[in-house]
Amino acid sequence: MIEVKHLTKRYGVNTAINDVSFSIEKGTIVGFLGPNGAGKSTTMNIITGYLSASSGSVTVGGFDILDEANEAKKLIGYLPEFPPLYMDMTVKEYLDFMYGLKKVKLPKEKHIKEICRLVKIENVYNRLIANLSKGYKQRVGIAQALLGNPPVLILDEPTVGLDPKQIIEIRNLIKTLGRNHTIILSSHILSEVQAVCERILIINAGTLVADGTPDRLSHDLSNDHSIIIRADGPENEILHAIKAMDHVVDAHSFGEKEPGVYEFSVEGDPGADIRRDLFALMTRNGWPILSMHNTDLTLEDVFLRLTSGTQSGTFLKKGRN
Amino acid sequence: MFAIFKRELKSYFNSPIGYVVLAVLLLLFGYFYYTVLIYGISQYIATSVYGNMFTMCMMIIPIITMKSLSEDKKNKTDQALITAPVGVTSIVLGKFLAAFCVYAIAMLLTLVPSLIISMFSDLAWGPIIGNVVGSMLYGAAMISIGVFISSLTESQVIAAISTFGVSILMIVIGSASSIVNNAFIAQIVNWLSFNTRYQTFTTGIFNISSVVYFISVVAVFVFLTARKIESRRWS
């Protein structure tokens, strides 16, 4: 549904995004993650045709955003970072205006009422937008994106400024819409992305560093992760014994953490669970294990890892397998 | 285009701008109409009322156009316009037509005193209509320039002051033709001058070439404004 190829955007000497490519199937919800200034909004602005790329192409539903702009734009509902609201209009006037601007063909009254019901702005329908709270403004912004029931929704931080109850409602709304819409949403809230999105794109410093389902991202990254244990016993002997175990690829010591207690990291074969054997080994030798944890990565870890600059290159390949 | 036109026109009258523009213009027109009544000579309507008011009309145009596109840029509402399935030219046309409409309403309302006077006196409508049509054409050209200038900046004040400058320049440039020695240059200045073209209307003469000239200026500046908005995407 959305095809982004080798997108690059330069502002003078600064490169905002650099050779970003991805494609999104119909009916998927994609989360767009990245630290501030990574290029999320720029990418979204290019996909919606607000900005033009320095090089590369974007097609939406088969229409090029530059060459067949009007056809492509008809398919997109866009909520920018700052909702494009006219402060001097009432919610009703604004939605009427956007309805006309987008050349929507659905029955007007009914369609607008339906959307107001979905995003819960019926009670402010006749109020001036300037007088609404941030949360309501955000919801009006979402409402205008939904006008005309476009098959593609691009939402730049849709839940900013909403109260927790509203956030859950909007999340559920997005999930429901995701059944027959293609949705890209950006967010700073990782748990939100994890809860809503079927696929995650992580962008850092203008380049795409990860692309995959949330599970896959944590799974793939935890492959090169190990078990960390703390044990009471002689350092060298323990290390030696662990290294001699089946399915252990490597082990090393982190040194003495408490008096007589050492910490070790044990890397097992991918796919092999060595925790039980490890426990048995240590018990046999009378070296009590004081703690053992498996460093399965949360999305937060994945995010921090990928955006702090290390390993990013290699991970992208893995994430796409 | 129609949606944008409707919204813009409404916004002129949602805020005090539209009313203030109309009120101030009509008040000043009223003053000059009043002097005509004191003279008791209806022939003075064309020269005294419209002759004096012409400069005021040109002064009010920057106020009408200053927020046309600059406000959209500042409030980021241009994102809604540009990502909607409408071409940039129709966005600009909608904006231009709304601004022109405010101005045209003012100009048409200035005919009301003339209509009332015509009940009691035999009016020479030719020069009056000529003045109104001339002001509208001149105004349309000036408004298209004002809309263009407002697309260059986010600041309404900068847009207004720059448009003022251009507006005054277009009024005075005609007089340069009598100072310049070179006949060729004088002719070019004369040909370009909005004022020289406007003057023919004030005598009640409808010069087609002047009509075409003013409409061409509008077309050129609508085109330039559209290109300017388009170019923002590449910056």
Side-chain angles (χ1 to χ4, degrees):
Chain A
M1 196 71 186
I2 302 173
E3 195 83 42
V4 174
K5 281 183 195 150
H6 305 293
L7 216 57
T8 298
K9 175 77 180 170
R10 287 183 211 93
Y11 292 108
V13 288
N14 295 326
T15 305
I17 52 174
N18 188 13
D19 196 25
V20 168
S21 302
F22 55 85
S23 71
I24 296 170
E25 301 295 312
K26 196 166 185 278
T28 26
I29 308 180
V30 174
F32 213 38
L33 284 175
N36 291 326
K40 298 185 301 269
S41 294
T42 305
T43 310
M44 290 180 147
N45 276 333
I46 293 173
I47 295 174
T48 54
Y50 178 62
L51 292 176
S52 295
S54 306
S55 65
S57 69
V58 174
T59 56
V60 177
F63 299 110
D64 189 284
I65 195 70
L66 282 183
D67 298 336
E68 297 145 302
N70 286 353
E71 286 84 354
K73 285 172 182 174
K74 261 185 196 159
L75 303 177
I76 303 174
Y78 182 35
L79 170 71
E81 195 175 358
F82 303 98
L85 307 174
Y86 285 100
M87 296 300 158
D88 58 352
M89 300 174 104
T90 64
V91 174
K92 175 187 187 307
E93 286 170 340
Y94 177 69
L95 292 178
D96 278 357
F97 162 64
M98 289 305 290
Y99 178 94
L101 184 69
K102 291 181 159 192
K103 299 174 184 162
V104 179
K105 294 285 184 292
L106 302 162
K108 189 166 173 177
E109 293 280 309
K110 200 174 147 235
H111 183 54
I112 291 180
K113 274 263 135 61
E114 170 73 17
I115 286 172
C116 288
R117 195 182 56 73
L118 275 178
V119 297
K120 303 221 163 60
I121 50 172
E122 296 144 305
N123 50 338
V124 294
Y125 192 55
N126 286 312
R127 282 183 46 192
L128 212 55
I129 292 178
N131 298 337
L132 298 181
S133 69
K134 177 141 177 46
Y136 271 112
K137 282 181 188 159
Q138 188 70 20
R139 281 187 253 170
V140 177
I142 297 172
Q144 66 79 24
L146 294 177
L147 274 176
N149 206 7
V152 175
L153 288 172
I154 296 184
L155 311 169
D156 202 347
E157 300 186 9
T159 55
V160 162
L162 301 179
D163 61 62
K165 188 165 160 277
Q166 261 295 315
I167 289 182
I168 293 167
E169 282 170 6
I170 292 296
R171 266 185 213 167
N172 290 338
L173 174 64
I174 292 172
K175 269 189 183 167
T176 322
L177 290 168
R179 282 184 211 136
N180 41 21
H181 291 68
T182 309
I183 303 177
I184 303 184
L185 70 95
S186 78
S187 179
H188 287 307
I189 309 163
L190 296 168
S191 58
E192 173 170 297
V193 171
Q194 199 152 26
V196 174
C197 301
E198 294 148 14
R199 183 175 156 200
I200 292 178
L201 300 172
I202 300 182
I203 190 168
N204 184 37
T207 39
L208 202 63
V209 291
D211 177 353
T213 63
D215 290 344
R216 172 154 229 150
L217 289 187
S218 13
H219 175 77
D220 283 0
L221 206 58
S222 49
N223 264 354
D224 43 45
H225 250 70
S226 347
I227 297 169
I228 309 284
I229 61 164
R230 268 186 194 194
D232 187 350
E235 184 180 12
N236 287 333
E237 277 176 54
I238 295 178
L239 199 59
H240 199 73
I242 292 175
K243 278 185 178 166
M245 272 176 67
D246 286 344
H247 303 300
V248 169
V249 177
D250 199 12
H252 57 269
S253 167
F254 290 135
E256 192 171 18
K257 296 291 175 187
E258 291 163 47
V261 176
Y262 296 87
E263 194 170 82
F264 305 90
S265 128
V266 185
E267 192 185 333
D269 275 337
D273 190 350
I274 56 167
R275 285 173 300 177
R276 286 174 192 82
D277 292 344
L278 192 62
F279 180 80
L281 170 84
M282 303 298 274
T283 320
R284 254 197 328 270
N285 289 295
W287 302 319
I289 291 180
L290 302 182
S291 81
M292 178 194 289
H293 57 99
N294 170 329
T295 46
D296 237 2
L297 291 184
T298 61
L299 189 61
E300 211 159 306
D301 297 323
V302 173
F303 179 76
L304 287 175
R305 203 159 236 258
L306 290 171
T307 54
S308 58
T310 49
Q311 302 194 347
S312 52
T314 53
F315 186 61
L316 181 59
K317 280 179 222 128
K318 278 190 174 172
R320 271 184 177 165
N321 281 340
Chain B
M1 186 188 95
F2 185 66
I4 293 172
F5 167 75
K6 215 170 89 184
R7 198 216 82 79
E8 283 296 301
L9 193 59
K10 243 189 200 167
S11 96
Y12 277 116
F13 293 101
N14 274 342
S15 68
I17 290 186
Y19 296 107
V20 170
V21 163
L22 289 187
V24 168
L25 267 184
L26 293 180
L27 190 76
L28 291 172
F29 264 101
Y31 168 76
F32 287 108
Y33 266 115
Y34 179 63
T35 59
V36 167
L37 289 183
I38 291 175
Y39 287 127
I41 304 169
S42 61
Q43 269 82 357
Y44 283 177
I45 290 179
T47 53
S48 174
V49 176
Y50 286 97
N52 281 315
M53 281 306 294
F54 173 70
T55 319
M56 315 294 164
C57 293
M58 293 310 118
M59 295 291 168
I60 215 88
I61 284 177
I63 308 300
I64 303 178
T65 60
M66 65 180 185
K67 70 174 189 125
S68 188
L69 286 156
S70 54
E71 203 181 35
D72 273 296
K73 197 176 173 190
K74 193 170 184 179
N75 296 340
K76 312 233 179 227
T77 39
D78 59 337
Q79 286 196 318
L81 301 182
I82 292 173
T83 58
V86 288
V88 233
T89 312
S90 34
I91 296 174
V92 178
L93 267 180
K95 296 266 181 188
F96 164 78
L97 285 178
F100 178 70
C101 213
V102 175
Y103 179 74
I105 290 172
M107 291 317 293
L108 288 177
L109 286 178
T110 66
L111 286 173
V112 173
S114 288
L115 279 175
I116 295 171
I117 292 172
S118 74
M119 292 179 203
F120 306 99
S121 154
D122 205 10
L123 274 194
W125 279 106
I128 295 175
I129 301 291
N131 265 294
V132 171
V133 171
S135 302
M136 288 231 199
L137 286 168
Y138 193 131
M142 239 4 266
I143 286 167
S144 69
I145 294 174
V147 169
F148 172 67
I149 291 174
S150 89
S151 78
L152 302 177
T153 171
E154 274 183 32
S155 157
Q156 300 189 15
V157 177
I158 292 176
I161 291 176
S162 320
T163 313
F164 257 124
V166 175
S167 181
I168 291 167
L169 188 72
M170 290 321 277
I171 292 173
V172 296
I173 199 169
S175 55
S177 65
S178 52
I179 313 167
V180 178
N181 279 329
N182 189 321
F184 181 65
I185 294 177
Q187 210 167 4
I188 292 180
V189 170
N190 242 340
W191 187 83
L192 281 177
S193 162
F194 282 13
N195 233 28
T196 322
R197 294 190 176 272
Y198 168 70
Q199 290 308 330
T200 54
F201 285 102
T202 62
T203 54
I205 298 168
F206 289 82
N207 186 341
I208 290 296
S209 84
S210 293
V211 174
V212 172
Y213 174 77
F214 281 125
I215 292 172
S216 309
V217 171
V218 171
V220 166
F221 278 95
V222 166
F223 173 78
L224 285 178
T225 313
R227 293 292 77 75
K228 170 61 199 159
I229 292 176
E230 196 115 278
S231 78
R232 229 180 261 162
R233 309 177 11 168
W234 302 96
S235 60

